[in-house]
Amino acid sequence: MTTSGVTTGTMTAQEVVQAALEELGVLSAGERAEGTELEVGIRQLNWMLKSFTARGINQWRKATTIITIPANVRTVTLPPVVEEVTYAAIQAQGSYTRPLARYEAGQYPQIASASRGFPVGYYVDRQRDACRFSVWPTPAVDTPLIIDVLRVIEDITDPTETLDVPSKWLETVYIALAARMATVMGVTRTDPATATLLAQRAQSFEQLLLDDDRPPSIFMGDFAAPVGAGGGISAPLPGMPPVLPDPAAVSYQWEATEW
């Protein structure tokens, strides 16, 4: 007996909402989610996916890119697609890469000054619409940096679109969506046992995948993997320079990134 050989199975937003409504008992098998039910479901789905990032669901959102800090500039604004910077390094000479220390909100203001030189540290100021990326000292020349980032999960704008999550997360997504929609669809009031069961299943499924999503050790991933490999990072950000799998491929011939 042969297998299909297919490993790219996915679901559209409409299929996810439909599966959630079936779990709730709002739709029977074969019924189609449409109208207000579909509109409410996609709205709830979008906000749920955004909230995933606050719960440490990060691995597939990683990307590696290059930015250039212009001479005499300490702070640049990163594209809105960047939610966090987890690692930054200067390509010093040949294949040698020098990581930058990360400063937090209580540390950076204490060391920030008018000093000039090659940066040794960075600070990420996460604002509502974009991240502000600062270095210290202020570079005296244009300075390219390799950075590992976490990108924002993409919005669903049409029911026919697929979700910006790995396929192994899809079951958890529609179960969690069903639990989230239990109140708005009236199931919490009419069938509290089902609502409670869905909430428990969603929590259990999510915990399993959270454990799977985390790296084996806090010392592995971004800080142990070669810069450019990015601890498993596999894709560049839209509109930004490509991933560099080999640090030796990096040189000071890059052009400044336009933000």
Side-chain angles (χ1 to χ4, degrees), residues 115-140:
S115 300
R116 297 287 190 272
F118 281 105
V120 297
Y122 72 97
Y123 166 60
V124 182
D125 181 13
R126 296 171 62 188
Q127 295 297 311
R128 182 190 64 191
D129 298 321
C131 289
R132 290 168 55 81
F133 182 86
S134 302
V135 296
W136 183 86
T138 302

Side-chain angles (χ1 to χ4, degrees), residues 7-247:
T7 59
T8 56
T10 188
M11 296 174 73
T12 65
Q14 180 162 9
E15 289 171 337
V16 168
V17 172
Q18 186 159 321
L21 294 174
E22 289 172 355
E23 292 286 343
L24 282 168
V26 175
L27 292 183
S28 299
E31 289 187 292
R32 185 178 177 85
E34 55 188 7
T36 302
E37 292 173 343
L38 180 59
E39 180 182 346
V40 170
I42 289 179
R43 181 175 69 243
Q44 295 275 345
L45 180 57
N46 264 321
W47 296 130
M48 185 182 75
L49 291 177
K50 297 297 184 185
S51 72
F52 273 8
T53 65
R55 302 204 293 277
I57 302 170
N58 294 325
Q59 295 299 309
W60 77 84
R61 300 190 299 121
K62 289 186 175 182
T64 297
T65 191
I66 302 169
I67 64 173
T68 296
I69 307 297
N72 303 315
V73 173
R74 180 187 302 169
T75 300
V76 296
T77 300
L78 301 179
V81 70
V82 175
E83 185 173 273
E84 175 64 287
V85 179
T86 60
Y87 177 87
I90 293 177
Q91 187 74 26
Q93 290 182 344
S95 61
Y96 173 67
T97 300
R98 177 163 58 81
L100 304 186
R102 177 172 176 130
Y103 297 115
E104 301 301 337
Q107 301 170 314
Y108 185 73
Q110 299 179 34
I111 57 94
S113 67
S115 300
R116 297 287 190 272
F118 281 105
V120 297
Y122 72 97
Y123 166 60
V124 182
D125 181 13
R126 296 171 62 188
Q127 295 297 311
R128 182 190 64 191
D129 298 321
C131 289
R132 290 168 55 81
F133 182 86
S134 302
V135 296
W136 183 86
T138 302
V141 298
D142 290 356
T143 303
L145 302 178
I146 301 171
I147 61 173
D148 291 350
V149 304
L150 298 178
R151 61 174 181 80
V152 176
I153 289 181
E154 295 179 16
D155 295 342
I156 298 163
T157 61
D158 188 272
T160 62
E161 294 170 352
T162 56
L163 277 59
D164 184 17
V165 299
S167 58
K168 66 181 178 181
W169 269 94
L170 290 172
E171 182 182 24
T172 298
V173 167
Y174 73 70
I175 294 296
L177 180 61
R180 187 183 181 100
M181 295 181 68
T183 298
V184 71
M185 300 307 296
V187 177
T188 302
R189 174 176 51 82
T190 60
D191 189 358
T194 293
T196 299
L197 178 60
L198 283 169
Q200 292 171 345
R201 289 175 65 197
Q203 184 177 19
S204 176
F205 285 13
E206 183 178 314
Q207 188 58 55
L208 286 173
L209 288 179
L210 276 172
D211 292 340
D212 177 71
D213 189 67
R214 295 188 179 104
S217 166
I218 60 172
F219 298 107
M220 297 178 68
D222 297 327
F223 294 95
V227 173
I233 294 166
S234 60
L237 293 172
M240 299 184 74
V243 172
L244 300 175
D246 181 4

